[in-house]
Amino acid sequence: MSKKATSTIEKKDAAPIGSSFAQAQINADLTKGERIDLYRKMLRIRRFEERSLRAYQGKKIGGFLHLYIGQEAVAVGCCSLMGKNDHVITAYRDHGHAIAVGMDTKALMAELYGKVTGCSKGKGGSMHYFAPSLNYWGGHGIVGGQIPLGTGLAYALKYRGLKGASMAFMGDGAVNQGAVHEAYNLAALWDLPVIFVVENNGYSMGTSQDRSSAGPGLAQRAEAYGMNWGTCFGHDIYEVRATMDKFLKLARDESKPSVVEIDTYRYRGHSVADPDKTYRTRDEIEEYRRTKDPIQVFQQKLIAEGVLTDVFVEQIDTEAKAEADLAADFAEASPFPTTDDIQKDVYWESDHPDRRTSKGRLFFD
Amino acid sequence: MAVLTYREAIRAALSEELARDENVVLMGEEVAQFHGAYKVSEGLLEKFGPKRIVDTPISEAGFIGMGVGASMLGIRPVMELMFWSFYSVAFDQILNNAANVRYMSGGLINCPIVIRGPANGGTNVGATHSHTPENVLANHPGIKVVVPATAADAKGLLKSAIRDNDPVMFLENTILYGEKGEVSADPELLIPLGLADVKRQGIDLTIVTYGRCVLHSLAAAEILENDHDISVEVIDLRTIRPLDIDTVLASVKKTHRVLIVEEQKPFASVGSQLAFMIQREAFDDLDGPIHRLATIDAPAIYSPPVETEQLPNPQRVLKAALAAVA
């Protein structure tokens, strides 16, 4: 888990520690309000996840539920750096990124409940959140399968002459998938503005990194493709932002791809179906929570900076819990899609009958 | 009208659509400098430059997936598979991403991508290079599947496929690349997807087919007419999904006898679906059971003379047609 921060583009200060990340320009420039927003977003994710877990336990949600609790600073840190032409795609642990890019938690919770008011009209579920208008391209269920898509987003940016970057997130379990390596090769071969972000929470489902991935490090594999790479800790949002800012600039300004491995940790099992009793100890989880909880860490920093007060912390938390409850109430009150909805949103053409050019039957029974 | 080969017709469609829409990109293994493994894209690099005609590494999952991603953001990629047989290594990108992203996003996204290349047996390249996956592809709602048999159809259908806002799988045929036919030079002459074509009129038997088997069926129909006084109607589906079943049913109403001919393994094939639909929707019009001629059910054999017999061919069609009208 613990490795020192290092990077191919940061050789001279390879191990910046402690508060130096707060002084990085990208963080130093943050206004008080922006800092509070970052904190608030992380807390909103956690409260949303906790509320969704309760809904799952109350049998309001079907299928899988992969919670992001513990990893909040990664999605919020990365997505807070997005400009107009920056795009995000991720895997199935996608709630944090969805909230980080600005999706409405009511629509997110309704999607979990399988309601027609959900962000995908109840057709995608937990693993498949999308918001193209916010440059958020999912939410993908097959490990590593989204990485070629994220590379394609970067290809489109470059082709169209837009100055932006694609952040393609994956877990540490995805790095051994062939599609990921094919995407690395294409991105490096064609200098595509993509950052492959490996959210390393230590376990691909129940298999630790030691038992699944050969070689000295996950990000370092970038060297085989001549790509830049870096690592950082994911519990300090300032560190995440300072690190990602460099690689984002490299992508936007020089159209250079890179791999960034962010060490993080999930407190819950792989999904809520994982009893989490076979592959790690309670002590390990408690130790991380006690020393590196991303929300606690940032809260303490902001209190020290004079940005937050205990009273304000309480108020933000109350609001975040209320928002999550409101989302659950909204989801509960919303209708399910109907069986008539099953065959909508399959083909663009059948959804636009007035603009249909093909003939014949699109659906069969 | 000009006489073009099937290959030239596809090239003309690509060239016209590349010229028409700057977001169209042709990408695949050997499509640019090498001029295409089957020379379909010959001259396009010189005409459109390396931004529009892009050589990829041998990396189907990577570049097909990349094309799907680019299509979500406004590019209209035409991805060449050197052989459709290689779709297996990109299958996750095709079925989970191209086919499903629209649905899983509740209709927020569409993927205007074309994946094209040859899908056929008959060239003695063995089991790994002879797959005909139109049934497998058509089994996935969200994608469209086209299998053109003639030069004119190849051009008109590919142009429609490139302008289509859904992902279209376009299955060509290496043996047809050299076949000639009259092709319109009109860049706005499109053939809509999902429209079958009656390639030969007849009254005694309907042969429903597509792809290279159209040619086999037409050859057999000629013999049946001349030597057996049997009048055969040959329907070329041209598109598998969407499917023009109405043209098939209208023909069945006229002939009352059906033979399906397909270069497909028989189990759960396109013909299986057709047979179900015909019996379901035209049961009272049938004077006998629906017959089918498919590939002999085994992996593609290498042995050149035997492979010819494993696949439908005019003699096998003839025999099957005689059985269907007996």
Side-chain angles (χ1 to χ4, degrees):
Chain A
M1 281 298 300
S2 59
K3 63 172 78 75
K4 71 179 180 180
T6 183
S7 160
T8 47
I9 61 168
E10 203 183 17
K11 284 275 158 51
K12 62 182 186 302
D13 53 345
I17 46 161
S19 62
S20 71
F21 293 110
Q23 271 97 56
Q25 201 61 47
I26 192 75
N27 292 323
D29 288 347
L30 285 168
T31 64
K32 190 175 165 183
E34 287 166 342
R35 288 165 208 254
I36 293 168
D37 283 346
L38 292 173
Y39 177 78
R40 189 192 304 276
K41 230 165 205 177
M42 286 163 60
L43 200 61
R44 286 175 58 227
I45 292 172
R46 181 158 301 181
R47 297 306 178 223
F48 177 89
E49 295 291 63
E50 289 167 348
R51 186 66 188 81
S52 69
L53 175 60
R54 270 167 46 212
Y56 190 92
Q57 289 162 340
K59 304 205 183 303
K60 298 290 183 186
I61 299 172
F64 298 134
L65 185 68
H66 306 90
L67 298 173
Y68 200 63
I69 296 172
Q71 302 185 206
E72 295 91 342
V74 180
V76 174
C78 293
C79 296
S80 67
L81 300 167
M82 285 170 73
K84 183 164 71 86
N85 290 318
D86 295 330
H87 295 260
V88 165
I89 191 166
T90 189
Y92 45 80
R93 198 177 305 283
D94 60 346
H95 306 175
H97 306 77
I99 294 172
V101 299
M103 288 181 79
D104 175 5
T105 49
K106 291 197 295 299
L108 298 180
M109 190 68 84
E111 186 63 27
L112 299 181
Y113 278 58
K115 299 298 181 74
V116 74
T117 52
C119 49
S120 295
K121 305 178 189 169
K123 293 178 173 176
S126 165
M127 301 188 283
H128 309 120
Y129 283 175
F130 292 84
S133 63
L134 298 168
N135 294 0
Y136 183 51
W137 300 93
H140 292 267
I142 304 296
V143 173
Q146 78 281 9
I147 301 303
L149 298 187
T151 309
L153 295 171
Y155 183 90
L157 287 171
K158 185 167 184 174
Y159 185 88
R160 293 166 59 185
L162 298 170
K163 195 171 167 179
S166 162
M167 287 187 273
F169 290 84
M170 69 192 102
D172 45 300
V175 300
N176 302 315
Q177 286 280 42
V180 171
H181 287 268
E182 294 193 27
Y184 281 7
N185 183 57
L186 291 170
L189 190 66
W190 293 338
D191 285 330
L192 301 180
V194 55
I195 300 162
F196 302 105
V197 185
V198 182
E199 290 191 68
N200 186 351
N201 64 24
Y203 298 93
S204 55
M205 203 164 159
T207 307
S208 66
Q209 186 183 329
D210 286 348
R211 296 200 297 130
S212 61
S213 296
L218 306 184
Q220 232 170 307
R221 293 182 179 186
E223 286 182 5
Y225 300 96
M227 268 190 291
N228 288 293
W229 61 275
T231 64
C232 75
F233 289 112
H235 61 277
D236 174 2
I237 194 167
Y238 284 148
E239 180 171 349
V240 172
R241 281 170 49 86
T243 306
M244 285 297 291
D245 178 54
K246 292 191 178 79
F247 290 97
L248 277 165
K249 282 181 174 143
L250 201 61
R252 294 187 199 114
D253 299 341
E254 298 175 44
S255 199
K256 290 286 185 193
S258 47
V259 180
V260 179
E261 177 186 350
I262 303 181
D263 266 359
T264 183
Y265 199 73
R266 64 168 154 78
Y267 298 172
R268 296 284 170 171
H270 165 72
S271 77
V272 293
D274 165 19
D276 197 4
K277 288 183 175 152
T278 53
Y279 57 91
R280 60 180 180 177
T281 62
R282 294 294 99 185
D283 287 349
E284 181 184 295
I285 302 168
E286 280 314 308
E287 173 68 10
Y288 193 95
R289 196 198 300 267
R290 196 173 57 77
T291 59
K292 290 182 181 163
D293 181 79
I295 294 173
Q296 288 299 317
V297 166
F298 197 45
Q299 185 193 104
Q300 283 156 20
K301 283 182 200 286
L302 293 185
I303 288 172
E305 289 174 18
V307 171
L308 279 182
T309 61
D310 289 345
V311 175
F312 201 11
V313 163
E314 197 62 35
Q315 185 194 327
I316 291 171
D317 195 25
T318 303
E319 287 167 1
K321 283 177 178 158
E323 181 191 351
D325 285 339
L326 192 70
D329 293 345
F330 172 81
E332 182 69 43
S334 293
F336 288 105
T338 67
T339 51
D340 287 342
D341 292 324
I342 292 173
Q343 288 186 320
K344 292 174 186 161
D345 306 311
V346 178
Y347 291 97
W348 181 91
E349 218 181 18
S350 53
D351 297 334
H352 299 82
D354 52 322
R355 294 172 68 186
R356 182 170 176 186
T357 55
S358 80
K359 316 286 183 191
R361 290 193 201 173
L362 276 165
F363 295 98
F364 299 85
D365 47 31
Chain B
M1 287 283 189
V3 174
L4 298 183
T5 62
Y6 184 99
R7 171 189 289 110
E8 290 164 342
I10 293 168
R11 186 186 304 143
L14 291 169
S15 184
E16 288 171 14
E17 296 307 303
L18 281 156
R20 175 181 175 271
D21 182 349
E22 64 177 17
N23 286 318
V24 175
V25 182
L26 175 66
M27 198 179 287
E29 294 155 10
E30 309 294 0
V31 299
Q33 286 191 26
F34 196 85
H35 289 157
Y38 287 95
K39 305 301 171 201
V40 169
S41 54
E42 190 163 33
L44 296 181
L45 173 65
E46 292 73 10
K47 195 167 174 185
F48 294 99
K51 186 182 174 189
R52 311 288 304 282
I53 313 294
V54 183
D55 278 327
T56 66
I58 299 171
S59 187
E60 286 86 2
F63 74 76
I64 296 285
M66 200 193 73
V68 175
S71 79
M72 301 193 303
L73 210 53
I75 308 301
R76 302 184 85 89
V78 180
M79 315 298 286
E80 179 170 309
L81 285 172
M82 190 183 291
F83 291 86
W84 254 104
S85 286
F86 306 158
Y87 83 117
S88 54
V89 294
F91 204 26
D92 179 50
Q93 297 301 323
I94 296 171
L95 81 91
N96 273 319
N97 292 341
N100 285 352
V101 155
R102 177 169 184 78
Y103 199 67
M104 296 190 303
S105 68
L108 295 174
I109 298 171
N110 64 296
C111 296
I113 186 173
V114 176
I115 304 174
R116 53 156 288 273
N120 57 280
T123 56
N124 324 133
V125 288
T128 56
H129 284 57
S130 304
H131 291 289
T132 52
E134 57 270 20
N135 57 332
V136 179
L137 295 165
N139 191 246
H140 294 89
I143 54 183
K144 297 172 178 174
V145 184
V146 182
V147 190
T150 69
D153 288 346
K155 184 184 176 197
L157 289 164
L158 182 55
K159 289 169 68 72
S160 289
I162 294 171
R163 297 189 197 185
D164 203 281
N165 285 329
D166 291 307
V168 182
M169 310 297 120
F170 196 86
L171 281 61
E172 302 161 11
N173 189 309
T174 55
I175 299 174
L176 296 180
Y177 279 142
E179 291 285 324
K180 288 179 180 166
E182 291 210 331
V183 180
S184 169
D186 179 357
E188 287 309 311
L189 190 83
L190 277 66
I191 296 171
L193 307 187
L195 187 64
D197 185 37
V198 180
K199 288 281 196 283
R200 181 187 175 104
Q201 304 259 0
I203 54 169
D204 298 324
L205 172 70
T206 297
I207 294 181
V208 187
T209 185
Y210 59 90
R212 186 175 166 227
C213 288
V214 172
L215 275 57
H216 298 325
S217 300
L218 289 170
E222 193 68 22
I223 299 168
L224 286 159
E225 182 88 60
N226 295 338
D227 299 353
H228 301 273
D229 199 26
I230 295 167
S231 164
V232 178
E233 182 141 304
V234 177
I235 295 177
D236 176 4
L237 292 174
R238 301 198 290 196
T239 302
I240 306 305
R241 188 169 186 154
L243 181 68
D244 180 5
I245 193 69
D246 292 342
T247 295
V248 175
L249 297 175
S251 180
V252 175
K253 212 177 180 74
K254 185 167 68 170
T255 66
H256 311 293
R257 301 264 180 186
V258 181
L259 169 65
I260 297 162
V261 180
E262 56 182 352
E263 188 180 321
Q264 280 263 277
K265 307 291 169 27
F267 195 98
S269 70
V270 171
S272 307
Q273 176 66 21
L274 285 169
F276 166 76
M277 293 175 80
I278 294 167
Q279 68 79 28
R280 183 72 183 79
E281 300 186 34
F283 188 75
D284 291 337
D285 293 319
L286 290 169
D287 283 349
I290 296 164
H291 286 241
R292 174 175 64 174
L293 177 67
T295 301
I296 293 175
D297 199 15
I301 193 168
Y302 158 68
S303 180
V306 185
E307 190 190 12
T308 306
E309 295 308 312
Q310 183 177 14
L311 302 179
N313 59 44
Q315 282 306 313
R316 288 188 71 209
V317 176
L318 178 64
K319 200 172 153 194
L322 289 170
V325 296

